[in-house]
Amino acid sequence: FSQNAAPSKKPATEIYQEALEAISVFQFEEALKLLSECYIRDQQNINYINQIAYCHTQQGRYPDAKLYYQSALKIDSTNITALSSLGNLFELERNYGKALPYFQELIRLDSTNSYYYKQAAYLYSRAGDMFTGIRAFLKAHQLNPRDIEIIDQLSNIYLKTDNLEYADEMIRKGLYT
């Protein structure tokens, strides 16, 4: 970041709060200016880095966002925000092979999170690995049996593969969820 204005005398925590307020009203350029000042003061602060990446994501600057999320992972390889955001960004770009390892790592870090399994299931399915996709959807369903999106996906997969008995079971679950 280049800083044209003189640095503020405010504490970084106060500037960071102002940046979060700017983000909350979709003022991403303003937030980036504020976050840049925070980042200049502390380039190891993962919160600053993740918020900078988030602002870039919201403005469609995916390459910049990925660079910041990757720098957050260099500081903390288990940073949930950076891992899930990178997975989601690669998925948006339809680069399922690059997205999947991020969700696999998230599952390794927290095997009780149905969202991670659901995202991995989508990626396996989109990459053509239906068997592994079904297993991941089933695990997600086991962890969160009320997630209608998972039930819908399983129903569709079973219908497409002519597993009508399983499809019927999922559809009935969906109706009563």
Side-chain angles (χ1 to χ4, degrees), residues 53-66:
Y54 176 77
C55 288
H56 284 300
T57 300
Q58 294 306 305
Q59 294 184 305
R61 294 184 230 157
Y62 296 165
D64 293 336
K66 287 189 286 189

Side-chain angles (χ1 to χ4, degrees), residues 93-112:
E93 295 174 336
R94 291 182 165 73
N95 193 335
Y96 308 128
K98 283 193 175 182
L100 187 56
Y102 292 104
F103 287 102
Q104 290 170 327
E105 177 63 9
L106 288 164
I107 290 168
R108 189 189 70 74
L109 293 170
D110 180 3
S111 63
T112 64

